[in-house]
């Protein structure tokens, strides 16, 4: 059984997530949802210019309609890489249609403290994580500096 990943939003961050996902040795099938036809066109151009041709046929663009969402497979991961504007509403509307083991929500997660609290409540009974730039944290930089000359960690 293969790995299925859904990326919601294929702007700059979504495309970078896709670029990383297709490098997996598990050869995941990546499903993409975006309601902006321009973003879909940019994704297709990005794939041609940045990925090996053998990797991008495993990417499926799907319509953002509930009738199309209910027939999707179970996902190992859903990455929400949309803008934070109305993300709480998006999660509330999307989650009943999507079956997944884990959610990764891109930051910032919301535009107001009320929306962030709403998303926190939504996430409380799910395996949900916020993508956070650890490399900017002082503790991470300290650890990284200790290994910078040692090569890749194996």
């Amino acid at each position: 059984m293969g790995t299925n990943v859904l990326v919601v939003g294929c702007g700059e961050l979504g495309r970078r997530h896709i670029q990383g996902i297709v490098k997996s040795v598990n050869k995941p099938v990546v499903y993409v949802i975006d309601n902006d036809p321009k973003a879909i066109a940019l994704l297709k151009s990005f794939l041609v210019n940045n990925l090996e041709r053998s990797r991008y046929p495993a990417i499926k663009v799907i319509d953002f309609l509930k009738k199309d969402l209910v027939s999707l497979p179970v996902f190992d991961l859903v990455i929400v890489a949309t803008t934070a504007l109305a993300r709480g509403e998006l999660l509330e509307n999307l989650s009943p249609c999507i079956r997944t083991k884990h959610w990764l929500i891109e930051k910032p997660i919301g535009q107001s403290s009320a929306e962030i609290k709403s998303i926190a409540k939504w996430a409380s009974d799910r395996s949900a994580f916020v993508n956070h730039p650890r490399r900017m944290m002082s503790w991470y930089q300290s650890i990284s500096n200790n290994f910078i000359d040692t090569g890749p960690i194996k």
Side-chain angles (χ1 to χ4, degrees):
M1 188 166 153
T3 302
N4 293 311
V5 178
L6 172 63
V7 178
V8 182
C10 62
E12 185 65 33
L13 283 174
R15 290 192 302 268
R16 293 299 174 186
H17 280 292
I18 293 166
Q19 185 179 26
I21 293 164
V22 299
K23 292 178 182 178
S24 169
V25 296
N26 295 328
K27 299 190 184 285
V29 177
V30 180
Y31 293 77
V32 179
I33 297 175
D34 198 303
N35 62 353
D36 183 357
K38 291 178 187 173
I40 298 295
L42 284 171
L43 171 65
K44 291 177 181 178
S45 173
F46 177 83
L47 296 175
V48 169
N49 294 324
N50 293 286
L51 300 180
E52 297 173 26
R53 192 158 196 66
S54 63
R55 294 211 179 257
Y56 62 83
I59 296 175
K60 301 179 180 188
V61 177
I62 55 177
D63 287 328
F64 211 152
L65 303 172
K66 283 190 178 183
K67 69 177 179 62
D68 296 325
L69 299 179
V70 294
S71 63
L72 292 173
V74 174
F75 293 101
D76 297 282
L77 175 64
V78 173
I79 299 171
V80 181
T82 60
T83 63
L85 184 64
R87 186 170 289 147
E89 183 180 348
L90 172 74
L91 291 169
E92 288 291 336
N93 289 327
L94 193 60
S95 58
C97 306
I98 301 295
R99 296 166 293 149
T100 185
K101 297 174 185 173
H102 308 285
W103 294 84
L104 177 71
I105 304 168
E106 199 52 70
K107 76 276 178 214
I109 62 170
Q111 293 290 315
S112 68
S113 60
E115 185 174 27
I116 292 169
K117 286 176 185 175
S118 170
I119 292 170
K121 183 178 177 188
W122 170 89
S124 66
D125 62 346
R126 293 175 172 81
S127 177
F129 304 89
V130 175
N131 190 23
H132 186 272
R134 291 181 305 274
R135 67 186 175 277
M136 298 175 79
M137 305 301 288
S138 60
W139 59 266
Y140 183 89
Q141 292 169 358
S142 175
I143 293 169
S144 178
N145 288 338
N146 288 326
F147 291 101
I148 200 126
D149 294 328
T150 62
I153 297 173
K154 296 178 182 185

